[in-house]
Amino acid sequence: MQLPDENIEYQFSRLLAQPHEAWTPLAELQHQHFLPPEKVDEVKQWVTSVRGQVVAERELQNPPQKMRPLQPGFIDLPQKMLDSYKRKLDASDLGKVLRRAQQLRDTVDRVVVLGIGGSYLASKAIFGALCHSHHNELPAKLRMGKPRIYFEGNDLDNDALQDLFELLENTCVDPDIIEERWGVVVASKSGSTLETAATYRAVRGEARKFYGHKNEMLRKVIVPITGKSSKLRDLCLADGFPDDDILTIPDDVGGRFSVFTAVGLLPAAVMGLDVRAMLLGAATMTRRFIEEPFDRNPVLQFATINHLMTERGKTTRVLTSWSRKLEAVGWWYDQLLSESLSKNGRGPTPITTVGTRDLHSRGQQHQDGTRDKLINNLVVKQIKHPPVMVGMSERNEDDLNQFSRKGLPDILEAAIKNTNEAYAEAARPTADITLPMISEHTIGQLLQMLMLATVVEGRLSGTNPYGQPGVEAYKNNMIRALKATPNLPKGEVRDQAKGV
Ligand code: PA5
């Protein structure tokens, strides 16, 4: 596989406080809100030793109680997946993912992806970044065998789910025609998350109505992805799925770190994406993390700068994507950061924004509001399509002829540069994650970079990045409350398959 030189980088020089010859109000503000370069130099050695600790954690078979939970499996997973595919082909985990994805693509024209948290946001981020912006609306020929994709099971929105059922009912009438067949990917590591489990029960019921109760087709069009032992696995085994057709999320990979397991890879392969390039990008990032010195290591840089800025009171961490296509990567990072570092009353608050859209909503706050923010820009260097030009107009009522030879990318470039300058002039710290382009390879790098940096940041701040004990409270309360109320529905019940 030939890949262009397309490393992603982190640039943070704009938020370093530069020495000023004379005192000025801006120099004073920058002194307060930017980072002194000496501070970064001072911690390089410490950060490098933390890297050593994170790398060593991969080998711990039986970690001491105080280190638990420990789930570093995601670090080496991309390279391991590629290596075992090379050796075992179809019999490897990646081989199975590719086989099940191909089977689904050959069988159906619509796929409903069920999952929540890490079992949803990864595939949502990949879909947003790498598929056509209007994928589902494209005629089949332009989609080139890639099914339409829908996401469900990530909330409890009754009416939204009924809308999907209505769509399926009206567009999928004959199960003998591929264009009218639909399938399901259900991802849940625990296999017992109520949102996904309840939605799967309903979706499975719809599938049974459509394909017939015992139809062999059901096992072809439903792809379960779950942990080694889970209620979802039990259910699927009871439904007659061969164990080999149930894709497994390894124990040592946590939910929000599971993008390079079948959770992210299977939907990506169904979408027709090059999953090997994605894994290669992720494996490259792991290698850079382990081998490169601080100055060439975007993981260590990102973790350090973000940690130091949080310590300096910049506790709101804004990820501003200057490409709308990366917005869902921001939502994925929101979860990664929140669940990994928000523990024991500490941790930064993530926010995702899209430039320039949100300059017209949050821009005021970023320029002029509370000084609690660090903005990380996500900047894509190379566009995929030819530029949309402003062009000439005969009467020039809108006065845009002065920009007639400029395109949207030129205007965007000016927006990025000048927004950052305006922030710097108000001592508002910003830094850039730069992607040469949006591709499977760069998205693989980016997601792995953010996962690794989050773990390093956790170790720097003394917070265990693995586990999410805080999420259990609402789940327990909800189940207790549901058990305490009569088992009766609210509202009129839709005609659902009985006893599914
Ligand atoms: O990071 C995590 O482990 C969680 O956020 C999970 O991804 C989320 O709760 C969904 O869990 P599951 O995949 O078990 O349904």
Side-chain angles (χ1 to χ4, degrees), residues 116-119 188-191 193 254-256 335 339 468 475:
I116 194 169
S119 296
S188 174
K189 185 176 177 195
S190 64
T193 304
R256 59 191 171 278
Q335 184 212 2
E339 291 193 350
Q468 58 288 335
K475 287 192 202 166

Side-chain angles (χ1 to χ4, degrees), residues 47-223:
V47 177
T48 309
S49 74
V50 166
R51 182 229 338 240
Q53 179 195 336
V54 171
V55 168
E57 283 168 5
R58 297 175 307 162
E59 313 297 337
L60 285 180
Q61 299 302 333
N62 195 11
Q65 197 54 39
K66 67 175 189 319
M67 287 185 75
R68 293 184 188 185
L70 181 67
Q71 293 174 308
F74 81 95
I75 299 178
D76 294 316
L77 185 69
Q79 191 60 53
K80 279 189 183 159
M81 296 282 270
L82 289 167
D83 290 346
S84 109
Y85 182 66
K86 229 187 214 164
R87 276 184 284 111
K88 300 201 251 164
L89 289 171
D90 284 359
S92 66
D93 285 344
L94 181 56
K96 281 184 209 167
V97 163
L98 296 177
R99 177 178 65 77
R100 289 293 269 140
Q102 190 59 49
Q103 192 178 42
L104 208 49
R105 288 180 58 173
D106 291 345
T107 316
V108 302
D109 190 53
R110 295 172 198 264
V111 172
V112 185
V113 181
L114 304 180
I116 194 169
S119 296
Y120 153 60
L121 290 159
S123 47
K124 179 76 176 169
I126 290 170
F127 180 65
L130 295 166
C131 289
H132 192 285
S133 305
H134 303 283
H135 176 85
N136 284 1
E137 278 78 46
L138 288 179
K141 210 168 155 199
L142 283 181
R143 276 187 284 117
M144 291 180 298
K146 302 165 201 165
R148 297 173 165 101
I149 308 286
Y150 307 89
F151 294 94
E152 282 294 340
N154 52 69
D155 57 23
L156 296 165
D157 192 323
N158 182 75
D159 292 356
L161 183 59
Q162 292 285 28
D163 283 349
L164 178 69
F165 288 159
E166 192 180 297
L167 174 80
L168 295 177
E169 244 170 46
N170 286 291
T171 50
C172 303
V173 179
D174 185 348
D176 288 335
I177 308 175
I178 178 167
E179 289 77 19
E180 299 197 8
R181 286 200 290 256
W182 57 275
V184 186
V185 174
V186 51
S188 174
K189 185 176 177 195
S190 64
S192 56
T193 304
L194 193 51
E195 290 88 338
T196 307
T199 309
Y200 178 56
R201 190 177 264 219
V203 169
R204 173 172 162 269
E206 293 296 310
R208 285 177 164 205
K209 267 200 291 182
F210 185 62
Y211 291 107
H213 239 256
K214 294 206 171 117
N215 197 315
E216 271 303 305
M217 187 66 99
L218 285 171
R219 287 184 281 279
K220 253 196 197 173
V221 301
I222 298 177
V223 183

Side-chain angles (χ1 to χ4, degrees), residues 46 251 285 301 310 416:
W46 174 42
D251 285 345
M285 187 53 74
Q301 292 169 351
T310 306
I416 299 174

Side-chain angles (χ1 to χ4, degrees), residues 423-444:
Y423 290 160
E425 282 156 14
R428 305 277 169 167
T430 63
D432 301 335
I433 301 172
T434 313
L435 281 78
M437 65 193 77
I438 299 180
S439 67
E440 284 91 336
H441 192 236
T442 57
I443 292 300

